[in-house]
Amino acid sequence: MFGGRALDRLNQMLDEAISGTFEERNYDETRLSRLESRWKHYLGTSVLTEENLRQEKEKIKGLVSDISHQTRTPMTNLKMYAALLEENLKAETRMDSREESLEMIGEIIRQTEKMEFLIQSLSKMSRLETDLVEVRPKFRELSGLLEEAAAGVRQRAMKKQIDIRNTYTGNGEACYDLKWTKEALENILDNAVKYSPRKAEIILSVTEYEMYAAVSVKDFGRGIKEEDMPKIFGRFYRAEEVQQEEGVGIGLYLARQILKKENGYIKVKSAPGEGSEFILYLPRNKC
């Protein structure tokens, strides 16, 4: 059906496209058949699309880097000056509006920390979505992951007199990236602390299956409505009854994205008034 030369040219075009060296100008359309010409245009468009995607990715990478860099210094300065002003006000005994001023300083600090958290979360989200972050899972013991994640939220838990009880005493392994999986588990634990009553308990445990290690975070807080269950892992989603709580609705979304990049997944069991159990499944059979 096709001549040998035509087939050779088609194969050569495809080989060059696969290797990334294809250029339309290397082929004179007047010497090509209709099929070869269409093949050339298709490959040329594909190369152009690939280049556009690469450029867009570089732009996003630069934007995320700029946001992170440009906001770091003013955030640090805001916190520093607010802390200094707070110390000065505490030392001043003759100021009539001292207590009111201290409350205002406290609110400045709180709002600054909230903004800093939001920017950090948005930066992490952007990096994960655009594959600017390389998740590098490898086989590691699970005990270290649980201990580090629990330590990261223990101070917040202590403020509410909440006990984080780690029941895992094994030495099993799973395939995960320590930094990012710790981030995911901390997000889940942080939510458990946030939505649990004072003096409550959070249970951290592991069930080891053949293919997965299931890391469980169980709380005894307010629970989640059935109609909200499919929505809680969406970006910026917050149920109506928790709108007054601190948070921006990114933690669960980030946790799911991280687990997905490690070939794992996350599930939730919950009912209103009965608490929630989030289970992170980490691969055990391959990395």
Side-chain angles (χ1 to χ4, degrees), residues 11-27 43-44 46-48 50-51 54:
N11 279 324
Q12 184 180 355
M13 290 178 183
L14 184 58
D15 288 340
E16 290 177 2
I18 293 173
S19 66
T21 60
F22 178 83
E23 295 183 11
E24 282 193 80
R25 64 173 177 266
N26 292 339
Y27 297 91
L43 293 178
S46 298
V47 170
L48 183 60
E50 182 74 21
E51 176 62 19
R54 188 191 66 77

Side-chain angles (χ1 to χ4, degrees), residues 133-140 145 174-184 258 261-262 282 287:
V133 167
E134 186 175 355
V135 177
R136 299 177 179 176
K138 68 178 185 178
F139 283 107
R140 305 173 185 270
L145 169 66
C175 182
Y176 63 93
D177 180 300
L178 178 59
K179 175 185 174 183
W180 286 101
T181 311
K182 175 176 168 284
E183 171 90 22
I258 291 166
K261 285 182 176 291
E262 297 177 325
L282 303 174
C287 210

Side-chain angles (χ1 to χ4, degrees), residues 108-139:
I108 289 172
I109 293 172
R110 190 179 72 82
Q111 290 297 327
T112 302
E113 290 174 346
K114 183 177 179 180
M115 188 182 300
E116 184 178 42
F117 172 78
L118 173 60
I119 290 169
Q120 288 175 350
S121 297
L122 288 172
S123 178
K124 291 171 187 174
M125 183 181 72
S126 299
R127 288 189 170 106
L128 283 168
E129 287 184 342
T130 55
D131 292 325
L132 300 180
V133 167
E134 186 175 355
V135 177
R136 299 177 179 176
K138 68 178 185 178
F139 283 107

Side-chain angles (χ1 to χ4, degrees), residues 151-267:
V153 300
R154 188 153 280 129
Q155 187 174 4
R156 292 189 289 278
M158 288 173 63
K159 289 180 180 179
K160 294 179 68 174
Q161 296 178 285
I162 291 174
D163 179 33
I164 300 176
R165 185 159 62 90
N166 181 4
T167 65
Y168 182 64
T169 57
N171 58 358
E173 291 187 339
C175 182
Y176 63 93
D177 180 300
L178 178 59
K179 175 185 174 183
W180 286 101
T181 311
K182 175 176 168 284
E183 171 90 22
L185 186 54
E186 269 193 39
N187 287 345
I188 303 300
L189 283 166
D190 189 61
N191 275 358
V193 170
K194 188 183 301 179
Y195 301 124
S196 291
R198 293 183 65 82
K199 299 184 180 180
E201 182 180 55
I202 296 170
I203 300 175
L204 194 55
S205 63
V206 176
T207 302
E208 296 177 64
Y209 300 104
E210 182 179 350
M211 295 181 65
Y212 291 94
V215 179
S216 165
V217 177
K218 183 172 179 57
D219 68 61
F220 301 90
R222 67 182 71 189
I224 304 168
K225 293 180 181 178
E226 185 177 355
E227 59 266 29
D228 290 329
M229 300 277 272
K231 308 172 187 175
I232 59 174
F233 293 102
R235 284 188 300 181
F236 306 112
Y237 179 77
R238 306 194 73 212
E240 185 176 348
E241 60 269 23
V242 299
Q243 290 293 327
Q244 301 306 313
E245 299 281 354
E246 290 289 337
V248 291
I250 294 179
L252 291 179
Y253 174 79
L254 284 175
R256 187 181 66 171
Q257 292 297 106
I258 291 166
L259 269 290
K260 185 178 178 181
K261 285 182 176 291
E262 297 177 325
N263 294 317
Y265 61 99
I266 184 169
K267 294 178 69 175

Side-chain angles (χ1 to χ4, degrees), residues 51-64:
E51 176 62 19
N52 287 340
L53 288 173
R54 188 191 66 77
Q55 291 179 4
E56 285 299 315
K57 187 173 180 179
E58 287 299 317
K59 287 179 182 178
I60 294 172
K61 182 178 180 180
L63 178 61
V64 170

